[in-house]
């Protein structure tokens, strides 16, 4: 891969699938048991906070039992070795990129492992349950919610993401269906800026047509192969 210096990687649920975390839109995915409107909107939370807190308590507990897979590890290897700019923008709320050792990670949809206090606006690291309305470590108010971005809410750090895409020579999308905006639009933003685009996904996605190149297969194989190409190993 000659002439590539700055890279933006976008990851979605597909990169964590082989770690045993359900994707959203596959059969048996977690939306099967719950309607999106019930567990992933501010309105759903206002309507039935117990249901939502219990749902995220279960997810938070589950992800802590999962391990990074070779795809996360390959991106961590890229992060450690890459001298140019790199930003791993993930839509995932698990911490498997970090546990694999990646550092240049941005969680645009938040993280399961933070609590967000709606009283004082502080975010605190959080691994336990929230169903019993524990107090905020910062202000003591019993007003914590999961620090995940729900439908109808603004994803985090959009300016930083667009800034990175503007500087990029290569945009790579891994394991995401291209169904949820604004992330689904990044490939077209990149193309308008004449950034090279590559998709690595199990199957063709809704967005495949927009990429210069689309490779199909499991992330645990495709990502290490691609990282080897980039690092020339
Ligand atoms: N390797 C590579 N890709 C895979 C694998 C795998 N082992 N398994 C599944 N995939 C692909 C699927 O083919 C699918 O295209 O990963 C994609 C997962 O798509 P979604 O389930 O829609 O997940 P994602 O794109 O991350 O969803 C985006 O939607 O509900 C919201 O906020 C939530 O961040 C999430 C966002």
């Amino acid at each position: 891969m000659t002439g590539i210096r700055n890279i933006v990687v976008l990851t979605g649920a597909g990169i964590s699938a082989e770690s045993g975390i359900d994707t959203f839109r596959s059969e048996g995915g977690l939306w099967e048991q719950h309607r999106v409107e019930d567990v992933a909107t501010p309105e759903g939370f206002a309507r039935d906070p117990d249901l939502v807190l219990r749902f995220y308590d279960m997810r938070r507990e589950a992800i802590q039992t999962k391990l990074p897979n070779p795809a996360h590890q390959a991106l961590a290897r890229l992060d450690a070795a890459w001298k140019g700019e790199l930003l791993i923008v993930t839509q995932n709320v698990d911490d498997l990129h970090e546990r694999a050792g990646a550092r240049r990670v941005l969680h645009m949809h938040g993280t399961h492992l933070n609590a967000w206090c709606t009283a004082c606006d502080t975010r605190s690291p959080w691994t336990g349950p929230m169903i019993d309305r524990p107090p905020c470590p910062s202000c003591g108010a019993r007003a914590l919610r999961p620090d995940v971005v729900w439908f109808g809410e603004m994803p985090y750090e959009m300016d930083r993401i667009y800034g990175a895409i503007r500087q990029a020579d290569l945009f790579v999308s891994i394991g995401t269906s291209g169904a949820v905006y604004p992330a689904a639009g990044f490939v077209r933003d990149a193309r308008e800026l004449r950034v090279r685009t590559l998709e690595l996904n199990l199957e063709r996605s809704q967005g495949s047509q927009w990429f210069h190149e689309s490779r199909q297969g499991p992330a645990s194989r495709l990502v290490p192969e691609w990282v080897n190409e980039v690092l020339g190993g």
Side-chain angles (χ1 to χ4, degrees):
M1 293 234 169
T2 49
I4 303 289
R5 179 150 181 86
N6 300 335
I7 304 175
V8 174
V9 176
L10 172 70
T11 67
I15 199 168
S16 295
E18 290 163 82
S19 295
I21 299 178
D22 283 345
T23 58
F24 296 97
R25 287 167 187 80
S26 59
E27 255 181 85
L30 67 96
W31 303 126
E32 297 280 308
Q33 289 97 41
H34 290 280
R35 298 187 321 146
V36 172
E37 309 88 80
D38 290 339
V39 293
T41 63
E43 295 80 11
F45 184 51
R47 214 168 28 240
D48 191 346
D50 278 7
L51 173 82
V52 176
L53 291 176
R54 209 172 284 120
F55 176 79
Y56 285 93
D57 282 356
M58 269 168 42
R59 308 296 309 166
R60 194 178 310 105
E61 194 180 339
I63 62 154
Q64 293 178 70
T65 68
K66 310 298 182 191
L67 295 171
N69 69 53
H72 300 103
Q73 283 153 1
L75 288 184
R77 195 156 53 82
L78 177 68
D79 187 4
W82 192 249
K83 300 281 183 273
E85 296 290 332
L86 171 72
L87 187 62
I88 300 169
V89 178
T90 186
Q91 297 167 88
N92 298 342
V93 290
D94 65 55
D95 63 339
L96 296 183
H97 285 304
E98 287 88 345
R99 275 200 271 144
R103 305 175 74 95
R104 291 180 269 181
V105 182
L106 186 163
H107 283 269
M108 66 177 289
H109 290 167
T111 157
H112 272 320
L113 298 172
N114 270 354
W116 174 20
C117 177
T118 57
C120 73
D121 200 31
T122 300
R123 287 167 169 86
S124 311
W126 202 266
T127 52
M130 293 184 195
I131 186 69
D132 294 329
R133 310 300 195 280
C136 167
S138 189
C139 75
R142 295 183 184 275
L144 298 178
R145 61 163 268 187
D147 188 17
V148 299
V149 175
W150 287 327
F151 285 91
E153 296 181 326
M154 181 62 83
Y156 296 154
E157 300 202 65
M158 293 304 296
D159 288 351
R160 202 175 137 211
I161 297 171
Y162 285 126
I165 293 175
R166 273 197 296 276
Q167 301 296 318
D169 307 299
L170 178 64
F171 171 79
V172 185
S173 170
I174 303 170
T176 174
S177 61
V180 174
Y181 285 82
F186 291 164
V187 59
R188 272 170 282 173
D189 300 324
R191 286 204 69 153
E192 273 174 26
L193 293 158
R194 300 184 185 282
V195 178
R196 178 102 201 140
T197 57
L198 168 68
E199 176 182 60
L200 308 176
N201 205 54
L202 190 59
E203 58 204 358
R204 283 188 69 81
S205 75
Q206 289 183 33
S208 292
Q209 53 174 319
W210 299 103
F211 289 84
H212 290 105
E213 188 187 351
S214 178
R215 301 180 189 172
Q216 275 84 54
S220 63
R221 175 169 62 79
L222 292 188
V223 180
E225 280 174 7
W226 170 69
V227 168
N228 284 346
E229 273 171 44
V230 174
L231 296 179

